Amino acid sequence: MATFALHPQLAADGLFLVDWPLTQVLRMNDAAYPWLILVPRLTDAREIIDLSAADRVRLMDEIAWASQALKDLHRPDKINVAALGNLVPQLHVHVLGRFKDDPAWPKPIWGQAAPIRFEPGDAAREVETWRTALSPYGG
Amino acid sequence: MATFALHPQLAADGLFLVDWPLTQVLRMNDAAYPWLILVPRLTDAREIIDLSAADRVRLMDEIAWASQALKDLHRPDKINVAALGNLVPQLHVHVLGRFKDDPAWPKPIWGQAAPIRFEPGDAAREVETWRTALSPYGG
């Protein structure tokens, strides 16, 4: 049986936060935006319609959990939710907060600027902050 | 009781296709991409987490219906699904097909180029084609 393996690009771009029932939750390593990535822990899923109906409901639940934690933590002006995958074929869903004074507003953030990586100490603190914010969910 | 009214920008950009249980389905008036927009027929919804849990499941179902019809009709290389709303605050979900030889590939399509409007006769044919493709769903 094939087991889930995170795509190398997502592994390079994201900081591991938690495994939820369906998805692995990453903090995108870009200090410019509060930005989570949800990756269904399945093999060979590229599109949302590759998921079973039950997994699609799980995915929607987990998008809502991520959105609520993001809202509680950062109070963004707008939440963007997107499954694009033009560059990385493994199904993944972006859940991120936008602000009217952020660098790309009102454009989408993808392909706009190179990510601003966290310094190692900042990354560890950021991971802990998100894990606390996400901890009410996923049970 | 407030009734649903489509945001004027969405009304200007989209061709009406059908009302599903939750969403009004539009064909984005841009001949460059096979592109649907799903607008929950609710008042004051801006974010997916503004929806009830039951409506979130309906939204996921309708995203899947739109994605399947899109796949059947156009066989895109990738489906993009996104709720952004940085410019138009009324909650709406884009479901569109991407091709490796399309004008914006692999970038997101939003904010890249002005839409290529359908000529009136082409618009009428496009609407009929989509209505036929969507007709198995929504019941």
Side-chain angles (χ1 to χ4, degrees):
Chain A
M1 180 180 149
T3 53
F4 169 72
L6 190 64
H7 188 283
Q9 187 65 52
L10 295 175
D13 285 346
L15 305 167
F16 173 78
L17 296 179
V18 64
D19 278 333
W20 276 346
L22 179 66
T23 67
Q24 183 160 116
V25 185
L26 309 175
R27 200 299 180 205
M28 174 73 177
N29 193 345
D30 184 349
Y33 301 96
W35 183 348
L36 301 177
I37 300 177
L38 277 54
V39 189
R41 292 183 288 111
L42 302 168
T43 53
D44 300 324
R46 290 185 69 235
E47 303 286 1
I48 288 173
I49 50 172
D50 294 338
L51 303 182
S52 69
D55 277 346
R56 288 200 300 269
V57 173
R58 283 187 196 99
L59 180 61
M60 181 54 93
D61 282 345
E62 297 182 17
I63 288 169
W65 297 342
S67 300
Q68 191 62 53
L70 168 65
K71 183 175 171 181
D72 293 344
L73 200 54
H74 288 279
R75 301 275 155 200
D77 293 316
K78 190 68 191 70
I79 299 173
N80 289 177
V81 176
L84 304 177
N86 304 336
L87 290 168
V88 173
Q90 184 175 55
L91 178 62
H92 59 286
V93 179
H94 303 271
V95 178
L96 59 108
R98 301 299 305 275
F99 297 90
K100 290 176 182 175
D101 61 355
D102 75 35
W105 183 269
K107 284 196 167 191
I109 56 170
W110 303 275
Q112 291 290 319
I116 299 169
R117 298 300 195 195
F118 289 100
E119 298 297 325
D122 293 340
R125 276 187 293 277
E126 179 73 9
V127 164
E128 283 315 301
T129 299
W130 276 107
R131 284 182 178 159
T132 301
L134 299 175
S135 63
Y137 308 102
Chain B
M1 181 180 146
T3 53
F4 168 72
L6 190 63
H7 188 284
Q9 188 65 51
L10 295 175
D13 285 345
L15 305 166
F16 173 78
L17 296 179
V18 65
D19 277 334
W20 276 345
L22 179 67
T23 68
Q24 183 160 116
V25 185
L26 309 175
R27 201 299 181 204
M28 174 72 178
N29 192 345
D30 185 348
Y33 301 96
W35 183 348
L36 301 178
I37 300 177
L38 277 56
V39 189
R41 292 183 287 112
L42 302 168
T43 54
D44 299 323
R46 291 186 67 235
E47 303 286 2
I48 288 172
I49 50 172
D50 294 338
L51 303 182
S52 68
D55 278 345
R56 288 200 301 269
V57 173
R58 283 187 195 99
L59 180 62
M60 182 54 92
D61 282 345
E62 297 182 16
I63 289 169
W65 297 343
S67 299
Q68 192 62 53
L70 168 65
K71 183 175 171 180
D72 293 344
L73 199 54
H74 287 279
R75 300 277 155 198
D77 293 316
K78 190 69 191 70
I79 298 173
N80 289 178
V81 177
L84 304 177
N86 304 336
L87 290 169
V88 174
Q90 183 174 57
L91 179 62
H92 59 286
V93 180
H94 302 271
V95 178
L96 58 108
R98 301 298 306 273
F99 298 88
K100 291 177 181 174
D101 62 354
D102 74 36
W105 183 269
K107 284 196 167 191
I109 56 169
W110 302 276
Q112 291 292 319
I116 300 169
R117 299 301 196 193
F118 288 101
E119 298 296 324
D122 293 340
R125 276 187 293 277
E126 180 72 9
V127 165
E128 283 315 301
T129 299
W130 275 108
R131 284 183 178 159
T132 300
L134 298 175
S135 64
Y137 307 102

